[in-house]
Amino acid sequence: MKEYKIKPLFTGNFVMDWGNILAPLCQGYVANVPIFMFLIEGPNGEQIIVDTSYDPATVPECIFHPQPRRPEEEVPAVLKRNGVDPDKIKIVIITHLHHDHTGNMKLFKNAKFIVQEVELLESTYPVGTQAAGVAHKDWVDLVPRFVLINGDLNLREGIDLIFSPGHTPGHQAVMVNTSKGRAMLMGDSLYMLGGMAKRFPKLFFELLEKNASVNTGKSMDLKTPEMQVEVAKVFNSRFGGYFGPCILNPGQNMQSLQKLDLMADIIVTSHDPLMSNMKVIPDDYNLFDQEVR
Ligand SMILES: [Zn+2]
């Protein structure tokens, strides 16, 4: 099967309470949340973009605190450095219509945007906290160029869109065939690798320790009987992870996560600082040894 390379493109940080995205694991831990978009490159030079990062002008400052970008983090500069001419991009996959994924859609003047139909319908008049995540200004003028799909889609040989609702009503992940197996671009079904405790136990413990040291000034002793009980609860739960209140439907998200986990050899997230160490996937992917299965 055709094999692709994936480049995570770092495009700036929000500063947030990580409890909003990994609660109760990281409640009270305020730190950078990096925002990545992705370039998929095929053997014949074809390029597909996944998500488009944020526009500081459309992100609610009071919750997400988008940081001023350095010149090299501006999306046009990032694209140029990675050999992308936005005018030549024909396909942009949007995992979901949250502002940290839709902020630069307008840069791609000749592209079609692949979006789940239910995502467009629900984002037009979002429910509850979702309203703080949607920036209509980013995309409302571009709807005529949306290609609306329903459910899983084999986009082309080696690239599949996987319907994974929960974070939003019409969230989709992107499964990409590589020389080391199937890479799953998780969108925001999973923010941080450590949130998938069963697959990444070391990262899960690192997140626990980070949070504890911020809240108590000392690192957590995971060997105490109390902690052992709590950790066992997570690992013995059906899906083995914790997720925060930014998610529309946590139960549905966990089911989607299980589906994506089963299908994927390589997990790629949009907001984990570790993605900065991976310039090209699968070449630089080094988390295989974390798996305990
Ligand atoms: Zn996001």
Side-chain angles (χ1 to χ4, degrees):
M1 197 191 295
K2 215 165 175 177
E3 292 172 356
Y4 296 83
K5 304 268 190 195
I6 301 153
K7 293 182 178 168
L9 307 179
F10 173 69
T11 56
N13 287 297
F14 290 178
V15 174
M16 286 176 63
D17 185 332
W18 283 23
N20 285 330
I21 57 175
L22 272 174
L25 250 180
C26 289
Q27 207 87 54
Y29 180 67
V30 177
N32 281 350
V33 173
I35 314 293
F36 290 92
M37 53 187 281
F38 298 92
L39 168 63
I40 301 173
E41 290 188 314
N44 303 321
E46 66 256 57
Q47 296 178 321
I48 292 177
I49 295 289
V50 179
D51 292 337
T52 68
S53 189
Y54 64 95
D55 174 352
T58 66
V59 177
E61 160 70 24
C62 55
I63 304 174
F64 301 98
H65 311 293
Q67 298 302 291
R69 285 185 171 115
R70 290 179 296 194
E72 67 270 24
E73 295 166 1
E74 296 286 352
V75 173
V78 171
L79 292 174
K80 194 170 180 194
R81 199 164 62 242
N82 284 279
V84 177
D85 175 354
D87 289 349
K88 293 201 174 129
I89 295 293
K90 294 284 191 302
I91 293 181
V92 176
I93 299 165
I94 300 294
T95 60
H96 62 299
L97 289 168
H98 275 174
H99 48 57
D100 53 317
H101 301 255
T102 60
N104 294 276
M105 290 168 69
K106 53 194 168 294
L107 288 180
F108 300 94
K109 297 188 177 61
N110 300 308
K112 292 191 186 317
F113 302 102
I114 306 185
V115 179
Q116 292 284 333
E117 182 173 25
V118 67
E119 183 72 3
L120 174 61
L121 296 176
E122 292 287 338
S123 300
T124 301
Y125 189 58
V127 296
T129 55
Q130 291 289 307
V134 174
H136 292 112
K137 273 189 192 160
D138 287 346
W139 49 265
V140 73
D141 295 336
L142 304 175
V143 170
R145 282 198 275 133
F146 279 25
V147 177
L148 299 175
I149 64 169
N150 287 284
D152 297 353
L153 177 82
N154 176 234
L155 181 65
R156 57 191 58 191
E157 186 189 343
I159 301 182
D160 289 87
L161 307 185
I162 311 294
F163 188 54
S164 46
H167 177 73
T168 62
H171 185 282
Q172 60 186 346
V174 186
M175 189 166 74
V176 182
N177 192 52
T178 75
S179 60
K180 293 185 183 168
R182 292 171 298 190
M184 191 69 79
L185 278 58
M186 303 292 278
D188 281 358
S189 293
L190 179 74
Y191 298 108
M192 307 272 174
L193 293 156
M196 200 182 258
K198 284 185 182 172
R199 189 184 272 245
F200 301 112
K202 285 184 218 156
L203 295 174
F204 174 78
F205 289 125
E206 274 173 35
L207 279 177
L208 271 186
E209 283 169 359
K210 243 180 208 166
N211 178 47
S213 60
V214 166
N215 285 335
T216 65
K218 54 186 179 190
S219 58
M220 184 183 282
D221 182 2
L222 296 166
K223 295 198 179 65
T224 63
E226 296 79 15
M227 268 315 295
Q228 288 289 301
V229 168
E230 292 309 311
V231 166
K233 277 186 202 165
V234 174
F235 279 86
N236 293 327
S237 69
R238 274 191 290 170
F239 304 134
Y242 275 176
F243 298 88
C246 281
I247 289 167
L248 176 65
N249 185 332
Q252 190 183 40
N253 190 64
M254 293 303 265
Q255 290 170 15
S256 289
L257 196 56
Q258 180 76 348
K259 170 179 166 181
L260 300 177
D261 186 28
L262 280 170
M263 297 172 90
D265 301 304
I266 294 171
I267 299 288
V268 180
T269 62
S270 303
H271 299 298
D272 195 309
L274 276 179
M275 299 318 301
S276 295
N277 304 333
M278 302 177 198
K279 301 299 178 207
V280 181
I281 296 171
D283 310 36
D284 302 332
Y285 196 82
N286 56 6
L287 292 170
F288 297 102
D289 66 348
Q290 286 242 335
E291 298 178 21
V292 282
R293 325 183 128 208

